Amino acid sequence: MIHANALTSGFENLIHIKFNKEIMELGIFKLSIQLGRDLMGLSLTYFMFSFLNYEIWQIFCFYFLRQVPFFFTIPFITHFIEKFGLKHGVSTRGAVSIIFYLLLPVLMTTDFWQSILWLMPLFIIRSFFINTSNVAYDICIAKHMNQHKQGSAMAGIQIAIMAGAVLAPIMGAFITASLGFEYVTYFGALVLLIGSLILYATPDEKFKVPYTPKKMVRDSFRRTSKYFFQAELGRIFFDVILWIIWPIFLIISLDSITDSGMVIGFSSGIAMIAAFFIGKRIDTQKKSQSTILKHGAYRSTFLNFFRAIWIEPMTLSIIDALSRINDQTIKVPYQVHYYKWMHEKDTFERAHIARFLAEGFYMSIIAFILLIFWVFRDMGTPPKEVFIGIFTIGALGMVLTTQIRKINRK
């Protein structure tokens, strides 16, 4: 049993397992989760838009109502992680996601509000376990970060994520087009099961959490740097765009789920290669972290403005590929600063605070975009200018991610 005082004084008394082994296990898990998420991401949006005939504002309402429980359940996960352990806590995401994905095609119908009524209990249960997994995952990464190879470590995790992002959209698109949405859920469940079993079968240790839910919420607003708030706002706004807006835009513009899957998969593959070299550069040129991040954020502002202007598949692929390559110049150094801040002190509480604030930002940003599409609901398909406006706001917001450089300053 790890004592509470060890949690606030660094990691000297925590689990001593070789860095590469831990990161490899977490990387395999992250790959399976990313495969499952990206298999469902494009296919679920396509299913709601093309088969259930949901309007765009209803699709965003679905994601908003799915997101709300994440914000309100996250303060209460600490005792569960205490009893379940870190890596076993991470693995819980797989089991609950399997159930969620298998039930989705059964519970979702053309009656939007009836579907939401049936899904809400599932949303609440799922949010608790995914919050548990996310916080435990961040603690594991921060705990086992090799201080001399931070860039390579973060690049390795990013490569695992991007590998899922390459394969999943293409596979999900072809399975949906040829067999139907329910078969995507079957395949996604299998992938999630494999990833979760790998972590659940590994040795783990338990610990005591040295703070209460009330203290965590209070510290989120009183003891967290304003620069962290700014950086996370910029990062999450753009993440929502890639997660929800971009698939909707591709489906509307290309009118083909297979073309949409190929665009996302192709661009993610190129970005995966870029992440490797960026991580190497960060390790060999420590002073370049902030410069890489700053220049990447500025390039992102220009690249993402053009997302909604051209709708020919090849051009969209090139623009998306350039954008995702450039995104690695933001994500890899961003995560180095992020986990360095988390590793520095109060790691368990900081990991919890970071996810609490992130879920609040996701909820608020999705609500904001939902409001925009609700205003244009009577127009059927919103004009392209709406998408251009949202992409531009998200691109400009990426400049805020540069503020992450300041959170570790004394």
Side-chain angles (χ1 to χ4, degrees):
M1 178 71 73
I2 298 172
H3 298 289
N5 59 1
L7 305 181
T8 57
S9 60
F11 293 107
E12 293 79 9
N13 298 318
L14 293 181
I15 312 167
H16 294 287
I17 302 176
K18 288 185 179 180
F19 170 83
N20 289 339
K21 178 177 181 292
E22 296 293 334
I23 294 299
M24 181 183 68
E25 292 170 353
L26 291 168
I28 293 172
F29 173 80
K30 197 67 174 178
L31 172 60
S32 73
I33 290 298
Q34 194 67 31
L35 272 170
R37 174 183 170 177
D38 286 351
L39 271 168
M40 295 297 302
L42 178 62
S43 298
L44 176 58
T45 301
Y46 182 76
F47 178 66
M48 288 191 285
F49 185 79
S50 299
F51 285 86
L52 301 180
N53 297 313
Y54 289 175
E55 297 179 42
I56 294 177
W57 74 267
Q58 290 177 314
I59 294 174
F60 264 92
C61 189
F62 168 87
Y63 283 111
F64 172 71
L65 293 173
R66 192 176 81 164
Q67 184 62 36
V68 169
F70 278 86
F71 180 70
F72 290 100
T73 61
I74 196 167
F76 307 104
I77 64 173
T78 50
H79 293 306
F80 184 81
I81 299 178
E82 277 184 337
K83 294 187 178 299
F84 219 65
L86 275 179
K87 288 192 291 182
H88 294 169
V90 176
S91 71
T92 58
R93 176 173 185 160
V96 74
S97 294
I98 290 169
I99 297 170
F100 178 74
Y101 288 149
L102 291 177
L103 288 177
L104 268 183
V106 177
L107 298 178
M108 294 184 72
T109 69
T110 53
D111 187 332
F112 175 75
W113 292 112
Q114 183 64 63
S115 299
I116 292 297
L117 183 64
W118 289 338
L119 285 169
M120 278 308 298
L122 200 58
F123 287 165
I124 295 169
I125 295 170
R126 177 175 179 264
S127 68
F128 180 87
F129 288 100
I130 291 187
N131 279 333
T132 297
S133 178
N134 285 339
V135 171
Y137 171 84
D138 281 346
I139 294 169
C140 284
I141 291 294
K143 180 164 70 70
H144 295 290
M145 176 184 284
N146 186 319
Q147 296 301 298
H148 301 291
K149 295 185 178 181
Q150 296 171 339
S152 297
M154 294 304 99
I157 294 294
Q158 195 61 32
I159 287 169
I161 293 172
M162 296 306 297
V166 173
L167 299 172
I170 298 172
M171 294 168 60
F174 279 100
I175 293 172
T176 300
S178 58
L179 299 175
F181 175 68
E182 64 273 17
Y183 284 89
V184 178
T185 65
Y186 301 154
F187 189 79
L190 177 62
V191 171
L192 291 167
L193 177 62
I194 293 171
S196 296
L197 287 177
I198 288 173
L199 275 187
Y200 190 75
T202 58
D204 206 353
E205 289 193 43
K206 299 178 182 179
F207 56 88
K208 286 290 184 181
V209 175
Y211 59 90
T212 64
K214 183 178 179 180
K215 182 179 184 298
M216 186 278 297
V217 173
R218 184 176 64 248
D219 290 348
S220 297
F221 300 100
R222 292 184 180 179
R223 298 181 59 191
T224 304
S225 169
K226 65 179 181 180
Y227 301 118
F228 188 80
F229 279 84
Q230 294 167 4
E232 284 289 271
L233 174 61
R235 178 186 71 85
I236 291 170
F237 197 107
F238 194 72
D239 192 44
V240 170
I241 288 177
L242 289 184
W243 172 29
I244 309 175
I245 292 282
W246 187 235
I248 291 174
F249 179 74
L250 288 177
I251 290 167
I252 293 173
S253 301
L254 303 181
D255 197 31
S256 167
I257 189 172
T258 52
D259 286 346
S260 301
M262 291 297 291
V263 166
I264 296 174
F266 169 78
S267 56
S268 298
I270 297 176
M272 181 175 66
I273 298 171
F276 173 79
F277 291 103
I278 292 165
K280 288 291 186 182
R281 182 180 173 187
I282 287 174
D283 285 336
T284 57
Q285 303 176 36
K286 289 293 184 180
K287 292 183 179 179
S288 69
Q289 290 181 18
S290 297
T291 302
I292 292 172
L293 175 61
K294 180 176 67 175
H295 291 170
Y298 293 154
R299 284 191 297 268
S300 178
T301 301
F302 291 99
L303 282 170
N304 287 289
F305 172 76
F306 297 105
R307 279 185 182 272
I309 295 179
W310 290 287
I311 60 174
E312 190 272 326
M314 182 56 69
T315 309
L316 280 176
S317 296
I318 293 171
I319 293 171
D320 196 40
L322 289 173
S323 175
R324 289 177 188 262
I325 291 171
N326 182 68
D327 286 349
Q328 303 314 306
T329 67
I330 301 171
K331 289 180 179 179
V332 175
Y334 188 98
Q335 289 180 349
V336 169
H337 286 292
Y338 180 92
Y339 286 112
K340 181 181 177 182
W341 167 77
M342 201 173 290
H343 179 97
E344 186 180 38
K345 66 175 183 178
D346 301 328
T347 300
F348 292 85
E349 185 180 28
R350 284 188 171 186
H352 204 167
I353 286 172
R355 287 292 176 173
F356 175 67
L357 295 176
E359 299 306 342
F361 279 130
Y362 275 113
M363 182 177 66
S364 302
I365 292 165
I366 294 173
F368 170 70
I369 300 175
L370 165 61
L371 179 62
I372 293 174
F373 283 110
W374 184 81
V375 169
F376 289 94
R377 68 192 184 283
D378 294 331
M379 299 183 66
T381 301
K384 186 190 295 186
E385 288 74 15
V386 174
F387 288 97
I388 292 176
I390 295 173
F391 288 144
T392 302
I393 293 171
L396 290 171
M398 288 296 280
V399 176
L400 290 174
T401 61
T402 60
Q403 298 298 86
I404 199 72
R405 299 173 297 161
K406 301 177 182 179
I407 64 170
N408 291 305
R409 294 179 182 175
K410 301 298 183 182

